[in-house]
Amino acid sequence: MSGSIQHGGGLAAAAAIYGGEPKDWLDLSTGINPCPPPLPAIPDRSWHRLPDRELELAAGAVARKFYASGDRLPLPVPGTQSAIQLLPRLVAPSRRVAIFAPTYGEYRRAFELAGFAVDAVTSIDEIDARHGLVVVVNPNNPDGRLYTREQLSLLVENLRQSDGILVVDEAFGEMCPDSSMAGICDPNLIVFRSFGKFFGMAGIRLGFVIADESITGRFAEWLGPWSVSGPALSIATQLFAADRQRIADQIAARRAGLDSILSAHGLTIRGTVGLFALVEDEQAADLHAHLCRHHILTRKFDYARNWLRFGLAPDGDSDLRLSTVLDLWRAGSA
């Protein structure tokens, strides 16, 4: 695989094509909470000192409670993207890798750049003893596919027989807590969690790896000292203790607004994960361009031209802005 992978975001690139200042655009291209909780006070020492082991342990301890990971202490990492790059080191080069597709493209890219043969699979039945590592994004981005805890536990058990590893990316796991594998203690299971999406603070680049200490120890060694900033650890330690239900309720309210707008304009929602909705429409490419002309950015897909992903708007005024532009679309006006 070569070239860049399309992601959400990219306001500057969109503004360069369609005009306007990035700050004036309505960015619906990402699956990030648009209503983050207030930023907590960050102690001066977090800015002035290197983030020592004390801060890492404190963040890991509150993350363990938040993610209900039991005896396993989550390892803070500088965004799960950094952990994805390390996964090929865990697999023998002779083994194949399976990735449940379609999904986040960086997994395939990381393994192919490392020389692995990668199988894009759509069913658990396609996994066999050749696979040294399997990746499941659960719930999935972008189509909302969801596997139960029982289904994934059985997959872990099957992989264990051939010394295979299951990686479950729960970047949107807060939306489906009953399916989370974070509390399953198995040496052949790795769970990734993202801090930035649920809390709406993707800019601090923070994630957590939940796995056996033999695995998190290797990740920590590969990442090196001070890989996560002191301010990021301080923010996480405080926000993990915030009112989780209040944040979830805000997301649900924003999501209800989006669903109402999309349905009112006859758009078919193919899948959803709370922080976004995937629309399937034969005119998706034209709709994306129409929205861009009105400075609203959504997420299109090079592998599915009839898909368009809508993230959540931050408030009612933004909902109205989206609805008005969709009215123009339905009326046939550019």
Side-chain angles (χ1 to χ4, degrees), residues 42-59 75-78 204-206 220 223-235 237:
I42 303 174
D44 288 345
R45 64 190 297 271
S46 294
W47 295 106
H48 300 311
R49 296 181 56 191
L50 289 170
D52 59 22
R53 182 65 172 158
E54 175 192 358
L55 282 179
E56 292 182 4
L57 289 174
L75 173 71
V77 296
I204 70 172
R205 307 308 303 135
L206 178 64
L223 289 168
W226 317 302
S227 62
V228 179
S229 75
L233 293 170
S234 176
I235 289 170
T237 300

Side-chain angles (χ1 to χ4, degrees), residues 125 219 226 249:
D125 295 336
F219 273 74
W226 317 302
D249 288 345

Side-chain angles (χ1 to χ4, degrees), residues 204-290:
I204 70 172
R205 307 308 303 135
L206 178 64
F208 291 85
V209 175
I210 303 172
D212 243 24
E213 190 173 349
S214 61
I215 292 177
T216 56
R218 278 185 279 176
F219 273 74
E221 181 180 352
W222 293 334
L223 289 168
W226 317 302
S227 62
V228 179
S229 75
L233 293 170
S234 176
I235 289 170
T237 300
Q238 296 181 71
L239 287 186
F240 274 135
D243 188 344
R244 179 177 186 165
Q245 190 58 51
R246 180 176 176 274
I247 297 172
D249 288 345
Q250 279 187 315
I251 291 173
R254 294 283 74 237
R255 178 52 212 295
L258 176 63
D259 281 359
S260 177
I261 292 168
L262 296 178
S263 298
H265 290 86
L267 293 170
T268 300
I269 299 176
R270 173 188 167 92
T272 180
V273 176
L275 285 168
F276 62 78
L278 180 67
V279 163
E280 187 171 69
D281 194 286
E282 290 304 316
Q283 294 181 295
D286 291 337
L287 177 55
H288 178 269
H290 169 80

